[in-house]
Amino acid sequence: MALRLVQANLKARNDSALGRFWAEALGWVSRSGSGATSVAPAGFVWTDPDAPVCVDVIAVPEPQTVKYRVHLDLATTSAAHQTELVARLKELGATPADIGQGDVPWTVLADPEGNLFCVLEPREIYRDTGPIAAVVVDCADPRALARFWAEAMDWTPHEVTDDHARLRSAKDVGPYLEFLRTPHLKDIRHRAHLDVVPYRGDDQAAEVARLRTLGATPADVGQGDVSWIVLADPEGNEFCVLAPG
């Protein structure tokens, strides 16, 4: 039994506009309806077990006011590509962001709704990830959180230290899931989170029960009667277990 990371879920006051931004940023397409916009490659089928990790934008009335614990790192193939991508993203509405990063080779930007993300310099490790190099989670204990998520999704640890941990699908496809030790985390409701789904033929309730034995806890974010189940990982990061297709 295991789960598949299917999407990074972002919140926005205008989901369709932010979805269009991310579609342009990633070279994908966006589809909007009922307060939600999916951003995925053309022809994407989310129930496909080999589908890439995508982006889902959900409409909420509240503006972004805090730094989220989850952000995206975008991959580039050369210095020229990085420069071109940053320039294009700014034309689309992204703005430079200073989070105290100092003189680093990557560029920190904020999307039109203030969600932070990074455009990385070319790195060999991300050469085959697609446009999203990594989904990065700020945390207090990368080792412990990587252990939880590796067991939850049967992903392979590629690097685990006190300050940083990196996981990837056992098939070595798609982006990495990374955990970055971050001081002064605040206990706040998160506007960005991960969505996971059982593989076809697996049982959602059984997967939720398994996650709870690993240290997940139920979470109430006002979701009401829905088909997905909201949990929090051992550090309180909310995530959703979707119903398998």
Side-chain angles (χ1 to χ4, degrees):
M1 299 175 69
L3 294 160
R4 178 169 60 87
L5 178 58
V6 65
Q7 58 198 16
N9 188 302
L10 306 179
K11 304 297 187 296
R13 285 174 291 176
N14 187 332
D15 64 284
S16 60
L18 193 62
R20 287 193 299 272
F21 168 87
W22 280 105
E24 292 282 349
L26 300 171
W28 292 351
V29 295
S30 64
R31 298 175 183 171
S32 298
S34 302
T37 297
S38 62
V39 181
F44 170 80
V45 179
W46 77 272
T47 55
D48 183 342
D50 294 322
V53 177
C54 297
V55 175
D56 200 38
V57 185
I58 304 299
V60 295
E62 302 88 1
Q64 186 278 126
T65 57
V66 296
K67 178 181 181 294
Y68 304 159
R69 288 193 188 181
V70 178
H71 74 266
L72 301 181
D73 282 352
L74 305 190
T76 61
T77 57
S78 67
H81 180 208
Q82 182 186 22
T83 299
E84 180 277 330
L85 180 56
V86 169
R88 185 164 63 85
L89 291 167
K90 289 180 178 179
E91 290 177 356
L92 293 171
T95 53
D98 185 352
I99 56 173
Q101 67 268 27
D103 184 17
V104 293
W106 60 88
T107 301
V108 183
L109 299 174
D111 73 17
E113 292 236 9
N115 303 296
L116 298 175
F117 65 99
C118 298
V119 181
L120 303 180
E121 75 285 2
R123 301 183 192 180
E124 179 65 18
I125 192 172
Y126 301 130
R127 70 189 184 283
D128 60 352
T129 59
I132 299 176
V135 180
V136 184
V137 181
D138 294 345
C139 65
D141 187 344
R143 289 185 183 275
L145 216 53
R147 186 165 51 249
F148 169 83
W149 281 100
E151 292 189 53
M153 301 193 299
D154 195 26
W155 277 28
T156 303
H158 283 250
E159 176 188 355
V160 179
T161 72
D162 290 341
D163 293 322
H164 182 259
R166 178 183 287 125
L167 310 176
R168 199 182 190 192
S169 160
K171 297 180 181 180
D172 278 335
V173 296
Y176 288 81
L177 178 61
E178 301 185 3
F179 302 95
L180 182 64
R181 185 173 179 270
T182 306
H184 312 304
L185 287 175
K186 295 181 179 180
D187 185 16
I188 55 172
R189 181 174 172 180
H190 312 131
R191 285 170 54 102
H193 68 261
L194 307 179
D195 285 345
V196 295
V197 64
Y199 282 92
R200 196 173 295 152
D202 287 347
D203 182 72
Q204 182 189 34
E207 282 295 318
V208 168
R210 184 177 68 88
L211 290 167
R212 294 188 66 176
T213 68
L214 296 175
T217 53
D220 185 352
V221 295
Q223 66 268 26
D225 184 16
V226 292
S227 61
W228 57 90
I229 297 172
V230 185
L231 299 175
D233 71 16
E235 286 207 10
N237 301 299
E238 296 146 2
F239 66 98
C240 295
V241 182
L242 308 182

